[in-house]
Amino acid sequence: MSEREERFERMLQEIQAEYASIEQKMAALRAEGKTKTVTFRQLMGNKLMYQSMLSMYREHGLIE
């Protein structure tokens, strides 16, 4: 595997891990009824950004 491919794989893993972390944090805030907080809204924005990136990877056949 080339260095570029390795960097891509590391980046993809970081994006997937961060997306999962955000989902967990949002679930905890949701359970506490804190869906109107600034933190929740920031997490939602980040989640949408990562979701968009992962969707683009899927569209290009880079992940399933």
Side-chain angles (χ1 to χ4, degrees):
M1 186 180 304
S2 73
E3 181 182 342
R4 182 177 179 171
E5 290 169 329
E6 289 175 11
R7 289 187 305 211
F8 168 79
E9 289 296 329
R10 278 194 309 267
M11 183 184 84
L12 176 59
Q13 289 173 357
E14 288 176 24
I15 290 170
Q16 290 171 324
E18 186 63 24
Y19 184 80
S21 172
I22 288 170
E23 284 188 318
Q24 290 175 346
K25 290 174 186 175
M26 288 179 70
L29 289 171
R30 227 181 253 112
E32 296 173 14
K34 296 183 177 182
T35 58
K36 303 257 186 224
T37 64
V38 171
T39 301
F40 186 87
R41 291 176 185 203
Q42 287 174 332
L43 289 170
M44 178 61 78
N46 288 342
K47 179 183 174 183
L48 292 172
M49 177 187 66
Y50 288 122
Q51 190 173 40
S52 175
M53 293 172 73
L54 291 169
S55 292
M56 288 172 43
Y57 291 142
R58 277 188 207 92
E59 288 173 16
H60 292 279
L62 297 170
I63 60 174
E64 293 180 7

